[in-house]
Amino acid sequence: MVYNLGSNALRWRSLFARHAFINSRREEVQVWDSPTSNQVDTDNANGGATGAGGSGQIFLKVDNETNGSRAIINSRPAQANDGTTASNNDWTPSLNPYWRMEMEINSAVTLTEVFVGLRAAFGTALPAATDHHIGFKKTNAASNAWFASNGGGAATTTTSLSASIAASNRHVLEFCMHDTSIEFFVDGVLVATHTTNLPTSDLKWTIMLVVNGVGAVTNNMMTAGKLILQEDPD
């Protein structure tokens, strides 16, 4: 069976069908039974929380009346059975990482910030201009201030996605890095192609919901599921 992972480059469409032949490239599929499993770390504070969100899903919740409320899920470094660090499980830009995740945020709240994607160093704020990263972010500039974003250590390249991502709707977010560009997709539609400020540092996956300011809406919640990461099999 061939699984379609999106409308991007053809080589990704038969990814699972070719799984047996991918010998030198990494693949990771996150189907969460619990956000506290040994595959992830959580960083919750000031009323933020994470939890199981149904079959193969997780939820992140923040308190919009509390500045700094956060719910963050980070990938955990690979560990040996004795708890010591094992092989590096970062994602290497030169191997053209691919990301796919389904996501729904329940309310369009201006002060809620979101980042889903890959970044060189974990944090409790959106990636800065000096941070190596690739992903989708929502800023506190407006209730629908969504962007495709990447940075290479000196500056950030962004494209507005305010017309592509809406609250209370389930969306499929994908990006695929190539040697000289990054393509971003929302619901299978190409929404941005960036050719500048490509990251070069190893990257880790993260899902972040943070309140930057104080609002009137009590809670805001995001559900995430079916996270797939793959290094270029070609």
Side-chain angles (χ1 to χ4, degrees):
M1 180 179 293
V2 175
Y3 292 81
N4 188 343
L5 299 187
S7 302
N8 50 358
L10 180 62
R11 65 176 177 267
W12 297 112
R13 294 181 179 174
S14 59
L15 179 62
F16 282 177
R18 297 167 53 192
H19 176 81
F21 303 100
I22 301 174
N23 297 316
S24 61
R25 295 292 183 259
R26 292 181 53 240
E27 172 186 299
E28 181 176 335
V29 180
Q30 283 285 342
V31 181
W32 293 282
D33 295 319
S34 166
T36 58
S37 72
N38 59 10
Q39 295 177 318
V40 301
D41 285 322
T42 58
D43 183 358
N44 306 319
N46 303 317
T50 53
S55 179
Q57 300 183 140
I58 53 169
F59 76 85
L60 302 86
K61 179 182 72 69
V62 291
D63 180 356
N64 285 287
E65 295 178 337
T66 304
N67 187 24
S69 179
R70 67 178 184 264
I72 302 173
I73 298 176
N74 295 322
S75 61
R76 176 174 291 182
Q79 292 183 329
N81 291 334
D82 62 358
T84 59
T85 300
S87 60
N88 187 315
N89 67 346
D90 290 351
W91 298 87
T92 305
S94 62
L95 295 179
N96 298 343
Y98 165 81
W99 162 289
R100 180 196 188 274
M101 190 186 82
E102 296 184 14
M103 179 277 296
E104 180 176 342
I105 190 166
N106 70 323
S107 299
V109 179
T110 296
L111 296 179
T112 301
E113 296 186 328
V114 179
F115 179 77
V116 297
L118 302 173
R119 62 191 302 178
F122 297 136
T124 58
L126 296 178
T130 55
D131 291 334
H132 291 251
H133 71 278
I134 317 170
F136 297 84
K137 70 179 181 183
K138 179 197 167 296
T139 74
N140 67 347
S143 61
N144 64 337
W146 283 92
F147 298 87
S149 178
N150 60 267
T156 301
T157 299
T158 60
T159 296
S160 174
L161 303 178
S162 60
S164 301
I165 301 176
S168 300
N169 287 272
R170 196 174 187 86
H171 295 287
V172 178
L173 308 180
E174 298 173 276
F175 59 76
C176 181
M177 185 168 182
H178 306 287
D179 292 344
T180 58
S181 67
I182 304 171
E183 294 178 317
F184 296 84
F185 299 81
V186 177
D187 300 328
V189 178
L190 178 64
V191 292
T193 301
H194 294 174
T195 59
T196 57
N197 299 311
L198 305 188
T200 56
S201 295
D202 284 353
L203 306 170
K204 308 169 179 62
W205 68 258
T206 186
I207 303 170
M208 184 183 81
L209 193 63
V210 176
V211 177
N212 188 356
V214 178
V217 180
T218 303
N219 294 322
N220 202 17
M221 188 171 75
M222 180 172 69
T223 303
K226 300 179 181 177
L227 172 60
I228 300 171
L229 299 101
Q230 172 70 55
E231 290 175 344
D232 192 342
D234 292 331

